[in-house]
Amino acid sequence: MSSVSTRPILQSLAIWARHHYRSIFLVTAALFVVSLWLASQLRFDTDILDLLPQKEPAVVNFRQTLEEFGSADVLLVVVRVPPDAVIAPYEIFVDRLGERLEGIDLFSQVDYKIGGMDELLQTFLPSALLFLDEEGRRELTAKLEDPALRDRVRELRRLISTPQAIAIKSLMMLDPLGVSEVFLGRLTSTRAGLSVDWASGYFLSRDRQILLIMAKPTKSAQDVDFAKVLVEVVEEEIDAVQGEWVEIAGPGAGGPPEVALGGRYVIALGDESIIRRDASTNLLTSMIGVLTLFLFAFRRFGLLIYAFVPLCFGLALSFGLSALLWGGLSAATSGVAALLIGLGIDFIIVSYGRYVEERQAGVGLSEALARMSGSSGRAVVVGGVTSAATFFSFGVTDFTGLYQMGYLTGVGILFCMAAVLVLLPAMLAWSEDHHEQRRDRGPTLFLHGLGSARLIRASLRRPWLVLALALVITLVAGRLALEIRFVDSVQAMRPSGNPGVTIRDEVAERFGRGFDQMMLVISGSSEAEVLELAGRAAVGARQLVEDGVLTGYDAVESMIPPPEQQSEALGWLAEGRESELAADRIRATFAEVAAEEGMRPEPFEPGLDLFAQAVSRSEPLDTEDFRDIPQAQKLLRRYLLQDEDGWKSVLYLYPPAKIWRREPPPEAERLADELGPQAVLTGANVMSRILRQRVLKDAVIAAVLGFVLVAFLLWLDYRRIGDTALSLAPLLVGILWMLGGMVALGESMNFMNIFVTTMIIGIGVDYGVHMVHRFREFSSASDDELYAGLVETGKAIVLAALSTTIGFGSLSFSHYPGLQSMGKVAILGAVATALVAVTVLPAYLALLRRRN
C-alpha cells in the first residue's frame, strides 16, 4: 500500500461518500438487519475441553476415555441426608426417584443402587476365592481350620443375641464363614474409587450425608436445548417424589430431603447463561464506557452517533459472518464484542479528531473529509490492517477458542475500519447538509486531551530526561519479566459460580472420587489379552501405592482377577478341596459347633452352599459370568468395554492431592511405557503438560508471525526501514513494560493471556504509526507547527488507548478467569505502548528533528 496509490483512493472514497450518503445509509441498514438476524442464531459452546486443540492426541485420549467409560456426560442427582438421620427413608426416596428417572426416555441408563449385600454375595461368593492373592489365600485357610471355625460359630452366636442382629442377619446367613471379610478386604485395600455402601448397595458418601443417582442421558451435554428440557423434566420428578415424603417417612419426619443437580448438563446450562450474560455485560459496559469517553473528549452529545453507528455496524457484520461460517462460537469469544468496541473506537477518535482539527482551521467540508481520509485515513488503514493481521496470526494455533477469537476480532477490525472510511464521512456530510447554518459558519468543535498535551510538550522540551527514565524503566521491567510464571490448569479457565461445578466437586470430595485422577487405558484385540495386560498394570499400580507415589487405584481386577492370579487360585482350590478347603468337613464342623451353641444349622445352609460352589469352581472367571446379572454389569462397565476395534480396560490411578496437577508422576509414565503401545496414560495432568508445551510453541509462532506481518506491512507503507523501526519501537518497549508489570502485580501467564502479546502487537503498533505519520506529514513545517501536530495526534492516541483500556477492562469482570486475565494483561499492554508512543517516541523525534 504505497503512498501514491493509497491517498487518492481514500480521498476519492470520502468525496464519493459525501455525495452518496443516502445510498450508503440504505445499504448499511439492509446489511445491519440481515447480520443482526444471523447473529441472533449463534450458539455458544460451553465445553471447556472444546477450547483446546481437538486433534491433539492428549486431548483426544482424555475426552474419549471420559466418554467411553461413562465419566463425561452424566447428570448427578444428589439427595442430602441430615446428620444423625435414619438412612432408611432416604434410601426409599432414592428408590422411588430412581425408578421414575428410569421411566423417562431421555435417559439411556440410571444408576442409583448396585444391589443389596444379599444380591452381591449371591453374585460374587461363588467366584470370590479367585480374587484372593497368596496372602489372602493363607488368611482364608487359617479361618477354615477347626479351631478357627469353632471361634467363628461362637461369634455368630454372640452376634445373634445383640440388637444389631436384625441388620446383619441376612449377611450372617449367606456368609457364615466370613469369606466376604477376606474377599472385600483384599479388593478395597488399594482402591480409591466411588464410595459404595456395601451393606445396602446404594451410592452413599463416606460421611453418610449424600445419596447419589447417576443418570446418563441420550444426548450430549452440549445440546443446550436438550439439557434445558432434561433438567426441567428431572426437577418435575423430584418435586413429585418430594410430595410423597410424608408417605415415605411418616408424618413426624419433617420436610422432604434437599435434592441438587450437578454434572456436565447443569454445567452446560450454567456456562451458557454465564457466557450470554458476560457477552451482554461486556458489550454494554464497554459501549457505555467508550461513548462516555467520546462525549467527554468532544463535549457534544450529538457526536455520540458518529461513534455508535459505525461500531454497531461493524459488530453486527462480524457476528453475522461468524454465524454463517461456524453457527456457534466458543466461550473465549464472549468478550470479542468488548474488544471490538475498544479497538474500533480508535479509528473513529483518530479520524474524527483530524476532522475537528481541519474544520477548526477553517477548511471546508469536502476538503476536510478528503484530508481526514487522505492522512488520518491512511494511518487508519495501516493500523487496521496490521491489527487484523496480528489477530489472524492466531490461526497458527489449534486452540479452538483462540483461533475463533483471533478470526472474529480480525474480521471485526476490518469491518469497523471500513465503516469508518465509508460510513463516517457519509454521516458527517449528512449532518452538515442538514444544518446549513453550522456549515456556513463552521462547527464549534473541541477535543479534550485529558492532560496529554502537557505530557507530550514536556517530552518534546526535555527529550534526554525522558529517554533516560524510559531506559531505567525498561531495564527494571526486563529483569522482572524473567520471573514470569505460567499456570497451566485447564480447570482454572472455568467460570466461577456455576452450581453444576459446585455439586460435581462436592461429589468428588465426599465420595472419594476426585477429578485429579489419571486413567491408564489398556487396548487389545481380545478380552483375554486386555485382562492379562490390565493384571500386569494392577500389579505395577499396587507397587506405586506401596511406594507412596499413588494413594490408591481402581481396576477391573475388582471384578475379574488377572488371569495369572486366577490360575494360581484354581490350582490352590484343586489341591485343597480334599483337605483344608473340604466343604464336607467344614459343613460338619460348623453343624457340630452350632448344635453345641444351641443354634440350628439349617438357616446357614444357603451360605454353606455358596461356599461349596466357590470351592468347587474349576474354570476362570470372565465377562460371560456377569452377562445376566444387571448389578454386576453396572460395576463392570466402569472398567471394561468392547467396541468395534476390540476390547478396552481402564485403571484409575489416584495421586496424592494437589501434588501432581501439572504433570503425571514419572513412575506412572514408566508403568505405561513398560506395558507397551497398548497402554496409554491420560488425565488432566497429562494433558496440562503437553498443552503447556504446545501453547508456548504456538504463542511464540503467533507473536513472531504477527510481528513480521506488521513490520512488512509498515515497510510497504513507508518504504523506509527507519520509519518502520520508529513505528515498532513503542510496541517493543511497551510489551517489555507489560511483562514486567505482570510480575509486579502478581499476574501469571495462562493458556489464554499468553496470546495477549500477539494482540498487543496489533493494538500497540497503531499508536506509533499515527505519531510517525504525523511527523512525516509535517517534516517540512516549522518546529511550532510540527510540535502542535504531534500534540494533536498524541491527544487522539491517548483517547484511543483509554478506549481500548475500557474495552479490555470490561473483560476483567468476566466470570471466565482466562478472559479476566486477558483483560488485565491487555490493559497493561495498551497503556504501556500508548505511554511510550506519547512520551518516548516524541522525545526521540524531537532529537531527530534537531539533528536534521
Side-chain angles (χ1 to χ4, degrees):
M1 63 183 71
S2 66
S3 60
V4 175
S5 61
T6 304
R7 286 190 179 183
I9 292 176
L10 294 178
Q11 289 177 351
S12 300
L13 184 63
I15 299 301
W16 178 82
R18 186 258 179 277
H19 295 290
H20 297 85
Y21 50 75
R22 292 183 181 86
S23 299
I24 291 173
F25 293 160
L26 286 174
V27 172
T28 298
L31 287 174
F32 180 78
V33 171
V34 172
S35 299
L36 204 61
W37 179 82
L38 288 172
S40 68
Q41 309 302 308
L42 272 172
R43 303 183 313 274
F44 286 102
D45 186 352
T46 61
D47 192 347
I48 199 74
L49 290 178
D50 285 342
L51 296 176
L52 306 177
Q54 298 305 296
K55 295 182 180 179
E56 171 61 48
V59 177
V60 173
N61 291 334
F62 185 65
R63 183 192 291 274
Q64 185 175 358
T65 302
L66 290 178
E67 292 174 351
E68 289 180 337
F69 289 95
S71 301
D73 288 350
V74 174
L75 180 69
L76 302 176
V77 183
V78 168
V79 179
R80 301 193 184 279
V81 181
D84 303 323
V86 177
I87 197 72
Y90 296 89
E91 292 175 342
I92 297 173
F93 182 93
V94 167
D95 282 333
R96 293 196 181 186
L97 181 56
E99 290 169 1
R100 281 178 171 270
L101 297 182
E102 286 177 327
I104 299 174
D105 58 6
L106 300 177
F107 293 111
S108 61
Q109 180 178 334
V110 178
D111 294 330
Y112 58 94
K113 185 179 182 181
I114 62 172
M117 181 58 77
D118 295 1
E119 299 173 84
L120 290 173
L121 289 178
Q122 292 177 19
T123 299
F124 286 102
L125 271 182
S127 56
L129 303 186
L130 300 182
F131 289 83
L132 301 181
D133 56 15
E134 184 176 355
E135 183 180 347
R137 294 193 290 269
R138 285 198 303 267
E139 183 179 348
L140 182 60
T141 299
K143 289 175 70 73
L144 298 178
E145 293 176 354
D146 283 352
L149 276 174
R150 292 179 178 276
D151 292 340
R152 173 66 181 176
V153 176
R154 296 188 186 103
E155 177 64 14
L156 289 175
R157 179 69 183 86
R158 187 190 67 80
L159 290 173
I160 289 175
S161 62
T162 63
Q164 293 81 16
I166 296 176
I168 63 174
K169 180 178 179 181
S170 60
L171 173 60
M172 291 188 292
M173 302 304 176
L174 289 173
D175 184 25
L177 302 178
V179 175
S180 61
E181 298 173 7
V182 180
F183 163 59
L184 294 178
R186 304 308 299 168
L187 284 184
T188 59
S189 60
T190 55
R191 292 183 62 193
L194 186 64
S195 173
V196 176
D197 179 29
W198 294 104
S200 64
Y202 291 92
F203 296 110
L204 180 64
S205 61
R206 294 172 176 176
D207 59 7
R208 305 182 68 81
Q209 292 186 9
I210 284 181
L211 283 162
L212 179 65
I213 300 175
M214 294 179 292
K216 190 170 181 61
T218 55
K219 293 185 180 181
S220 167
Q222 303 317 306
D223 187 338
V224 176
D225 292 334
F226 172 80
K228 288 179 180 177
V229 173
L230 179 75
V231 171
E232 289 175 0
V233 171
V234 171
E235 287 178 341
E236 290 175 359
E237 298 298 337
I238 292 172
D239 291 340
V241 180
Q242 285 178 329
E244 302 170 2
W245 180 245
V246 174
E247 176 190 339
I248 294 172
E258 177 188 348
V259 182
L261 301 180
R264 292 186 66 179
Y265 291 84
V266 181
I267 292 172
L269 290 179
D271 281 359
E272 194 237 7
S273 174
I274 290 172
I275 290 170
R276 292 190 179 277
R277 187 165 66 248
D278 273 4
S280 302
T281 302
N282 292 340
L283 175 62
L284 185 62
T285 55
S286 58
M287 181 68 79
I288 292 175
V290 297
L291 291 180
T292 301
L293 177 66
F294 199 79
L295 174 63
F296 181 78
F298 293 101
R299 302 294 176 89
R300 285 178 57 187
F301 279 101
L303 299 183
L304 292 180
I305 196 70
Y306 299 145
F308 184 76
V309 172
L311 284 178
C312 289
F313 181 59
L315 287 172
L317 286 180
S318 304
F319 283 95
L321 183 60
S322 297
L324 280 177
L325 293 178
W326 291 320
L329 294 173
S330 68
T333 61
S334 62
V336 166
L339 299 184
L340 288 178
I341 290 174
L343 297 172
I345 196 70
D346 292 3
F347 304 142
I348 299 171
I349 288 174
V350 171
S351 298
Y352 189 70
R354 182 59 186 269
Y355 174 76
V356 168
E357 186 180 345
E358 296 297 336
R359 294 291 274 149
Q360 293 278 26
V363 177
L365 171 62
S366 296
E367 183 61 22
L369 292 175
R371 292 186 183 183
M372 176 187 76
S373 296
S375 178
S376 296
R378 180 182 176 188
V380 165
V381 170
V382 174
V385 172
T386 53
S387 296
T390 55
F391 279 98
F392 286 142
S393 69
F394 282 20
V396 301
T397 181
D398 290 330
F399 285 79
T400 306
L402 288 171
Y403 77 67
Q404 279 190 352
M405 185 179 66
Y407 160 79
L408 186 55
T409 308
V411 168
I413 288 172
L414 295 180
F415 281 144
C416 288
M417 178 192 75
V420 170
L421 293 175
V422 178
L423 194 53
L424 182 60
M427 293 172 65
L428 290 171
W430 178 88
S431 177
E432 295 276 350
D433 285 351
H434 286 74
H435 298 82
E436 293 189 11
Q437 183 179 2
R438 180 193 303 168
R439 183 181 59 190
D440 293 338
R441 62 180 172 81
T444 303
L445 300 171
F446 177 80
L447 175 60
H448 198 299
L450 301 173
S452 60
R454 289 193 296 271
L455 184 64
I456 297 170
R457 290 191 183 98
S459 300
L460 292 170
R461 287 195 302 268
R462 299 178 178 84
W464 285 112
L465 176 61
V466 171
L467 293 176
L469 289 174
L471 178 61
V472 172
I473 296 173
T474 302
L475 292 175
V476 173
R479 174 64 183 84
L480 289 174
L482 297 175
E483 301 177 8
I484 199 162
R485 297 183 303 110
F486 187 87
V487 177
D488 53 10
S489 171
V490 177
Q491 292 297 329
M493 298 296 100
R494 182 171 291 285
S496 58
N498 189 315
V501 176
T502 303
I503 295 298
R504 184 203 64 186
D505 292 344
E506 182 182 4
V507 168
E509 179 182 355
R510 290 179 180 266
F511 281 82
R513 182 180 174 180
F515 292 88
D516 289 334
Q517 68 193 30
M518 297 173 291
M519 293 164 284
L520 184 58
V521 183
I522 309 293
S523 303
S525 57
S526 67
E527 177 186 336
E529 180 185 12
V530 167
L531 290 177
E532 190 275 329
L533 274 174
R536 289 170 49 194
V539 172
R542 190 178 302 115
Q543 184 61 51
L544 295 184
V545 173
E546 293 175 1
D547 294 341
V549 177
L550 302 176
T551 59
Y553 74 94
D554 196 7
V556 72
E557 67 170 7
S558 62
M559 296 289 296
I560 301 177
E564 182 179 354
Q565 180 177 316
Q566 291 200 62
S567 177
E568 294 174 357
L570 288 171
W572 169 66
L573 290 174
E575 294 177 1
R577 286 193 189 102
E578 304 302 327
S579 54
E580 68 266 21
L581 299 178
D584 292 340
R585 176 189 65 82
I586 293 170
R587 190 188 298 266
T589 303
F590 186 93
E592 177 187 342
V593 179
E596 293 174 1
E597 295 294 325
M599 295 190 301
R600 293 172 51 246
E602 289 79 8
F604 300 98
E605 285 298 327
L608 295 173
D609 289 341
L610 288 175
F611 176 76
Q613 293 179 41
V615 172
S616 64
R617 185 166 187 117
S618 59
E619 296 294 330
L621 183 68
D622 59 24
T623 54
E624 290 298 321
D625 292 87
F626 303 120
R627 186 169 299 278
D628 299 324
I629 308 173
Q631 65 267 35
Q633 284 287 335
K634 291 179 181 179
L635 290 172
L636 187 61
R637 183 62 181 79
R638 173 167 158 78
Y639 310 102
L640 188 69
L641 64 84
Q642 183 181 18
D643 59 19
E644 57 186 15
D645 298 322
W647 287 81
K648 287 184 179 179
S649 180
V650 63
L651 281 79
Y652 301 90
L653 309 178
Y654 297 89
K658 301 181 181 180
I659 293 181
W660 294 104
R661 286 187 170 181
R662 289 172 54 87
E663 58 188 4
E667 296 85 352
E669 291 186 294
R670 281 199 295 270
L671 173 59
D673 292 339
E674 291 169 359
L675 294 171
Q678 292 171 275
V680 176
L681 183 67
T682 186
N685 53 0
V686 177
M687 196 167 55
S688 289
R689 183 184 60 186
I690 295 175
L691 293 181
R692 180 171 68 248
Q693 298 167 349
R694 180 74 174 272
V695 75
L696 290 172
K697 176 184 175 183
D698 286 358
V700 171
I701 293 175
V704 171
L705 179 60
F707 185 81
V708 170
L709 282 173
V710 166
F712 177 70
L713 291 171
L714 290 179
W715 180 82
L716 285 180
D717 179 50
Y718 293 129
R719 301 290 179 170
R720 297 180 184 177
I721 297 296
D723 288 345
T724 300
L726 282 177
S727 295
L728 292 174
L731 172 65
L732 295 175
V733 176
I735 288 177
L736 193 59
W737 289 13
M738 175 192 77
L739 296 175
M742 288 178 64
V743 176
L745 296 176
E747 193 71 31
S748 302
M749 284 285 189
N750 56 46
F751 287 126
M752 298 289 288
N753 68 21
I754 193 172
F755 285 85
V756 169
T757 300
T758 307
M759 294 167 58
I760 293 301
I761 291 174
I763 298 168
V765 72
D766 294 357
Y767 307 143
V769 167
H770 292 309
M771 193 64 77
V772 173
H773 265 282
R774 197 57 181 264
F775 179 75
R776 290 185 62 184
E777 182 183 352
F778 282 78
S779 59
S780 58
S782 65
D783 287 350
D784 290 341
E785 291 176 327
L786 172 62
Y787 291 168
L790 292 179
V791 167
E792 291 300 316
T793 299
K795 289 181 181 180
I797 289 173
V798 169
L799 290 175
L802 287 175
S803 68
T804 301
T805 299
I806 292 172
F808 279 107
S810 66
L811 296 184
S812 301
F813 301 102
S814 170
H815 288 79
Y816 277 84
L819 290 177
Q820 290 177 14
S821 64
M822 285 183 66
K824 295 173 185 177
V825 174
I827 289 173
L828 281 175
V831 170
T833 50
L835 187 60
V836 175
V838 299
T839 56
V840 181
L841 185 57
Y844 181 79
L845 292 176
L847 291 177
L848 188 64
R849 172 82 170 188
R850 294 176 189 177
R851 189 187 68 180
N852 293 337

